[in-house]
Amino acid sequence: MPRYVRNTAILCKVETTAGVDAVPTGGSNAMLVSDLSITPLEAQNVDRDLVRGFFGASEQLVATAFVRCSFTTELAGSGAAATAPAWGAPMQACAHAEALLSTPNRVEYTPASTSLKTVTIYWYDDGVLHKILGAMGNVRLEAKVGDRPKLVFEFTGLDGGVSAAANPGLTLTAWQKPPTMAKANVVDITLGGTYSAGALSGGTIYNSSGLELDWGNQVQFTPLLNEERIGLTNRAITGRAMLELSAAQEVSLMTAVKANTTQAMAMRIGGTTAGNNIILYSPVVQLINPRKEEVNGVRLIGFDLRLVPSSGNDEIRLVTQ
């Protein structure tokens, strides 16, 4: 009988001890995903290269090996203020701290450099279970006009084994519908504003085609004779945006680029449904590589973005409220 890609179930749970199976369940840790991909064994194969008195290949021996996988989740809140969204577990495994805060109620994700979290991922491929342990990853934000806002996760983890197993029942009620990237749902890219306790203020709002960010996490598999582990050793958050600028605004931002000037950047997605509002805020952003862009005959100016720490572990703040 054929097996079907659509019959895939993915579970993800933060580990108490890195590399030790956290035993995620379909009732508590199910992921609602799209664009999924898995490399079940990324192996370093050792060629025996034997000389036997005749031509022909030798076997290769599987030595060190790990697993890669990726999937996309929708960027939406939990539906209840101060309740972590369903994508909170994979976000923590991308070197982020999760804080449930009050006054007002909200959840904030900020970068971390210590006490990093790992996750266990169970990947059910229509009858075959791949266990991925000690996984850490990178994340990209795609929030483009006319689309849904998305988080694209790419994980590297230890091979926890493969077995025949039926898909579990999935509880997906924690996953909310995201607000679309449309005028009614978005406060567009704001430069020069401030953020405090769940609120944005000040700055200049620009028309844009949306925002793309890449956390640039450096994730490595390190094999040693007594231990194999996944490590996340650095990050460099970059991005892209296209802005519609007046002539004076273009001249001003070009001057900022030439002077290596940095400024805060923010975007708000949602705003109409409690528990499903998203704030993105970066206190120190450098605009570089300006370029002339065109959309339907309209002039836009594209910039690459570099998100730089201010006092450390604060390049970006991702807030749900």
Side-chain angles (χ1 to χ4, degrees):
M1 291 180 59
R3 293 164 51 218
Y4 299 105
V5 173
R6 288 282 178 177
N7 292 342
T8 297
I10 299 175
L11 318 179
C12 180
K13 184 178 180 180
V14 173
E15 295 174 342
T16 302
T17 303
V20 176
D21 193 342
V23 193
T25 67
S28 300
N29 310 112
M31 303 295 295
L32 185 61
V33 305
S34 58
D35 304 322
L36 65 168
S37 174
I38 185 170
T39 302
L41 198 66
E42 185 92 18
Q44 176 186 348
N45 293 331
V46 180
D47 197 336
R48 297 181 69 194
D49 195 21
L50 301 174
V51 177
R52 295 169 294 187
F54 48 84
F55 292 172
S58 302
E59 307 98 314
Q60 290 188 336
L61 307 177
V62 175
T64 58
F66 56 95
V67 183
R68 292 188 192 274
C69 67
S70 64
F71 50 81
T72 296
T73 69
E74 296 172 327
L75 178 60
S78 65
T83 299
W87 43 264
M91 197 69 191
Q92 290 181 71
C94 294
H96 272 62
E98 179 184 79
L100 277 61
L101 303 171
S102 59
T103 320
N105 290 332
R106 63 197 188 278
V107 183
E108 296 194 358
Y109 293 89
T110 51
S113 298
T114 59
S115 302
L116 304 183
K117 303 291 188 181
T118 58
V119 289
T120 293
I121 298 172
Y122 280 12
W123 190 294
Y124 289 87
D125 184 23
D126 197 3
V128 174
L129 168 59
H130 301 269
K131 293 186 178 182
I132 307 168
L133 308 180
M136 305 184 82
N138 184 47
V139 60
R140 292 183 287 113
L141 167 76
E142 296 179 1
K144 302 292 288 182
V145 64
D147 200 353
R148 53 191 179 140
K150 297 175 287 188
L151 295 172
V152 181
F153 292 99
E154 300 170 340
F155 281 102
T156 302
L158 303 175
D159 178 17
V162 182
S163 61
N167 288 12
L170 302 181
T171 301
L172 298 170
T173 52
W175 293 89
Q176 304 298 307
K177 293 179 181 178
T180 57
M181 296 297 297
K183 177 183 176 182
N185 300 327
V186 176
V187 177
D188 212 339
I189 291 176
T190 303
L191 298 180
T194 60
Y195 171 85
S196 178
L200 295 170
S201 61
T204 301
I205 300 173
Y206 295 86
N207 287 336
S208 84
S209 62
L211 182 64
E212 297 175 275
L213 296 176
D214 186 335
W215 270 247
N217 289 339
Q218 295 183 14
V219 181
Q220 303 291 338
F221 166 66
T222 301
L224 300 172
L225 290 179
N226 196 47
E227 181 185 19
E228 295 181 337
R229 60 176 176 266
I230 307 299
L232 196 160
T233 58
N234 199 7
R235 68 176 165 268
I237 306 179
T238 59
R240 291 168 57 92
M242 289 196 301
L243 308 180
E244 185 179 43
L245 305 174
S246 68
Q249 288 173 332
E250 180 178 352
V251 171
S252 176
L253 289 182
M254 284 289 290
T255 300
V257 169
K258 292 177 181 179
N260 305 311
T261 301
T262 60
Q263 54 196 310
M265 180 184 72
M267 175 181 275
R268 186 180 188 104
I269 304 171
T272 58
T273 304
N276 200 9
N277 301 310
I278 308 293
I279 291 175
L280 293 156
Y281 179 75
S282 298
V284 184
V285 177
Q286 183 184 18
L287 277 61
I288 60 174
N289 301 330
R291 56 194 172 271
K292 301 284 189 177
E293 306 275 8
E294 175 267 330
V295 176
N296 294 335
V298 175
R299 171 62 68 214
L300 274 72
I301 309 300
F303 296 94
D304 291 337
L305 311 172
R306 292 187 66 82
L307 280 58
V308 182
S310 175
S311 56
N313 298 313
D314 57 359
E315 302 100 302
I316 191 166
R317 189 176 300 268
L318 182 54
V319 184
T320 69
Q321 59 182 182

Coordinates of all heavy atoms in Angstrom, one line a residue, residues 20 23-24 59 73 93 95-96 107 141 144 164 177 194 196 207-209 212 223 257 264 269 304 312 315:
V20 N 17.9 14.0 26.0 CA 17.1 12.9 26.6 C 15.7 13.1 26.2 O 15.1 14.2 26.3 CB 17.2 13.0 28.2 CG1 16.3 12.0 28.8 CG2 18.7 12.8 28.6
V23 N 9.6 12.8 25.3 CA 8.4 12.0 25.1 C 7.2 12.9 24.8 O 6.2 13.0 25.6 CB 8.0 11.1 26.3 CG1 7.0 10.1 25.9 CG2 9.3 10.4 26.8
P24 N 7.2 13.6 23.7 CA 6.0 14.5 23.3 C 4.8 13.6 23.0 O 5.0 12.5 22.6 CB 6.6 15.2 22.1 CG 7.6 14.4 21.5 CD 8.3 13.7 22.7
E59 N 32.4 -1.5 0.4 CA 31.3 -1.0 1.2 C 31.7 0.3 1.9 O 32.9 0.5 2.1 CB 30.8 -2.0 2.3 CG 30.5 -3.3 1.8 CD 31.6 -4.3 2.0 OE1 32.8 -3.9 1.6 OE2 31.4 -5.4 2.5
T73 N 5.4 27.1 10.4 CA 4.2 27.3 11.2 C 3.7 28.7 10.9 O 4.4 29.6 10.5 CB 4.5 27.1 12.7 OG1 5.3 28.2 13.2 CG2 5.2 25.8 13.0
A93 N 13.9 26.5 21.2 CA 15.1 25.7 20.7 C 15.9 26.4 19.6 O 16.9 25.9 19.1 CB 14.6 24.3 20.2
A95 N 17.3 29.3 20.4 CA 18.0 30.2 21.3 C 17.2 31.4 21.7 O 17.6 32.5 21.6 CB 19.4 30.6 20.7
H96 N 16.0 31.1 22.2 CA 15.1 32.2 22.7 C 14.6 31.8 24.1 O 14.3 30.7 24.4 CB 14.0 32.4 21.8 CG 14.3 33.4 20.7 ND1 15.3 33.2 19.8 CD2 13.8 34.7 20.4 CE1 15.3 34.2 19.0 NE2 14.5 35.1 19.3
V107 N 3.2 37.5 26.2 CA 4.3 36.5 26.2 C 5.4 37.1 25.3 O 5.1 37.6 24.2 CB 3.9 35.2 25.6 CG1 5.1 34.2 25.7 CG2 2.7 34.6 26.4
L141 N 11.5 34.5 9.6 CA 10.2 35.1 9.6 C 9.9 35.5 8.1 O 10.7 36.2 7.5 CB 10.2 36.4 10.5 CG 9.0 37.3 10.3 CD1 7.7 36.7 10.9 CD2 9.2 38.7 10.9
K144 N 5.0 38.8 4.5 CA 4.9 39.6 3.2 C 3.4 39.9 2.9 O 2.5 39.1 3.2 CB 5.5 38.7 2.1 CG 7.0 38.4 2.3 CD 7.9 39.6 2.2 CE 8.0 40.1 0.8 NZ 8.9 41.2 0.7
A164 N 8.5 1.3 13.4 CA 7.2 1.3 12.8 C 6.2 1.7 13.9 O 6.2 1.1 15.0 CB 6.9 -0.1 12.2
K177 N -5.9 30.7 14.0 CA -5.7 31.3 12.7 C -4.9 32.6 12.7 O -5.2 33.4 13.6 CB -7.1 31.5 12.0 CG -7.9 30.2 11.8 CD -9.2 30.6 11.2 CE -10.0 29.3 10.9 NZ -11.4 29.6 10.3
T194 N 9.8 53.3 20.0 CA 10.2 52.7 21.3 C 9.2 51.6 21.7 O 8.0 51.6 21.2 CB 10.4 53.7 22.4 OG1 9.1 54.3 22.6 CG2 11.4 54.7 22.1
S196 N 7.7 49.4 25.2 CA 7.7 49.3 26.6 C 6.5 48.5 27.1 O 5.3 48.9 26.7 CB 7.8 50.6 27.3 OG 7.7 50.5 28.7
N207 N 5.0 52.8 4.4 CA 4.4 51.8 3.5 C 5.5 50.8 3.1 O 6.6 51.2 2.8 CB 3.8 52.4 2.3 CG 2.5 53.1 2.6 OD1 1.9 52.9 3.6 ND2 2.2 54.1 1.7
S208 N 5.2 49.5 3.2 CA 6.2 48.5 2.8 C 5.5 47.3 2.1 O 4.2 47.2 2.2 CB 7.0 48.0 4.0 OG 6.3 47.0 4.7
S209 N 6.3 46.4 1.6 CA 5.7 45.2 1.1 C 5.8 44.0 2.1 O 5.6 42.9 1.7 CB 6.4 44.8 -0.2 OG 7.8 44.6 0.0
E212 N 11.1 40.4 6.0 CA 11.7 39.1 6.1 C 12.9 39.2 7.0 O 13.7 40.1 6.9 CB 12.2 38.6 4.7 CG 11.1 38.4 3.7 CD 11.7 38.1 2.3 OE1 12.0 39.0 1.6 OE2 11.8 36.9 2.0
P223 N 30.5 15.5 16.9 CA 30.7 14.1 17.4 C 32.0 13.9 18.2 O 33.0 14.3 17.7 CB 30.7 13.3 16.1 CG 31.3 14.3 15.1 CD 31.0 15.7 15.5
V257 N 22.3 55.5 5.8 CA 23.0 54.4 5.4 C 24.5 54.7 5.3 O 25.4 54.0 5.8 CB 22.5 53.8 4.0 CG1 23.5 52.8 3.4 CG2 21.2 53.2 4.2
A264 N 15.7 52.1 15.7 CA 14.8 51.1 16.1 C 13.8 50.7 14.9 O 13.6 51.6 14.1 CB 14.0 51.5 17.3
I269 N 1.3 43.1 14.0 CA 0.4 42.3 13.2 C -0.8 41.9 14.1 O -0.6 41.3 15.2 CB 1.1 41.0 12.7 CG1 2.4 41.4 11.9 CG2 0.2 40.2 11.8 CD1 3.3 40.2 11.5
D304 N 18.7 45.9 2.8 CA 19.1 44.8 3.7 C 19.1 45.3 5.1 O 19.4 46.5 5.4 CB 20.4 44.2 3.3 CG 20.3 43.5 2.0 OD1 19.2 43.1 1.6 OD2 21.4 43.3 1.3
G312 N 22.8 43.4 24.8 CA 23.0 42.0 24.7 C 21.7 41.2 24.8 O 20.9 41.5 25.7
E315 N 18.4 41.8 20.4 CA 18.3 42.2 19.0 C 16.9 42.3 18.5 O 16.6 43.1 17.6 CB 19.1 41.2 18.1 CG 20.5 41.1 18.4 CD 20.8 39.8 19.1 OE1 20.2 39.7 20.2 OE2 21.6 38.9 18.7

